[in-house]
Amino acid sequence: MVETVLNLAGDNLLSPIILFFVLGVVASFLRSDLTVPEAAAKALSIYLLFAIGYKGGVSVSDHGIDAGLLMTLAAGIALSFAIPFIAFTLLKVMTRLSVMDAAAVAGHYGSISIVTFVAATSVLQSQGLSSEGYMVAAAAAMEAPAILSALWLVARNTTSEGADATENSGLLREILLNGSIVLLVGSFLIGIVTGKEGLKEIESFIVSPFKGVLCLFLLDMGLVAGRGLRSSKGVLTPGLVAFGILMPVLGSFLGLAAGQIIGLSVGGTVLFMTLAASASYIAVPAAMRVALPEANPSIYLTMSLGITFPFNLTLGVPLYLTLATLAGS
């Protein structure tokens, strides 16, 4: 199995999307003036969310809403609620983080990285594997529950820290109306309504250019990750680095078990494992700044974007693909 994972990882490392991410990291470490303007980076993000959501909706329209979709949504929400508690326990054992910082980091690992999800989709396509179109709905459903778990962990373990009930109520609304969730879910629903006929009208815009746009977006992610790693001296302890690699593997096993119980295809199981293994670096950081302002962003951002994100892109997804293939054979 190790040889299979390494072979897949080798192929993955030579794919354009990974190499552009590496280019961004290297450029950042070399202190190059290469940058992706913030407006352009936001436009790339909007395009990716729109494209993956719409194509997922079209797939559901073609497949139909069934028990598999409903069970996948339920399992995704349950995992997003549960994973922060596992992560928090590990962090208290493996690191010396405060309750506030540990809860903030744990919340990131219960939520998902949509870009890791998209990269895993690209790997599946390169391997000739298909997946259930409604996996994008599971991704949207797994964004917010982990944030609520993080807030509960703080409330349970502290008495003087954390947001009050009014702030938390406003935060919940902000989470559910987060731009990335609204666009992803909205595009998904439009894809369901318009179906394959609608896809034909915009296929040239959201199918052919997709991987090229993903390459540019990952170039920007590499630049951001490189800057975070470069400025994280004294923040990343051996325990945190070990957690950043161990936690996604544990999450992937939970995703594998859920995928097997639900009866997902190999491709669908890989995507579910990837969702359970990834860590948010968009929605959750924004929520943590509001709900837990005392938490140190240099810790949770560097963990999710500087450690777990590169691990999943290079070794994680090939590992999850191998495990799902073995479990499905």
Side-chain angles (χ1 to χ4, degrees), residues 165 204 215 222 268 319:
S204 61
C215 287
L319 173 62

Side-chain angles (χ1 to χ4, degrees), residues 10-25:
D11 293 339
N12 198 34
L13 286 170
L14 294 178
S15 69
I17 60 174
I18 302 300
L19 291 176
F20 272 98
F21 178 79
V22 173
L23 173 61
V25 173

Side-chain angles (χ1 to χ4, degrees), residues 242-291:
F243 171 85
I245 296 173
L246 175 62
M247 191 60 222
V249 175
L250 291 178
S252 75
F253 279 109
L254 294 175
L256 175 61
Q260 291 294 296
I261 293 170
I262 295 168
L264 294 175
S265 65
V266 171
T269 300
V270 172
L271 293 183
F272 205 42
M273 293 172 73
T274 301
L275 290 173
S278 61
S280 173
Y281 52 81
I282 299 175
V284 179
M288 290 299 107
R289 283 198 297 269
V290 176

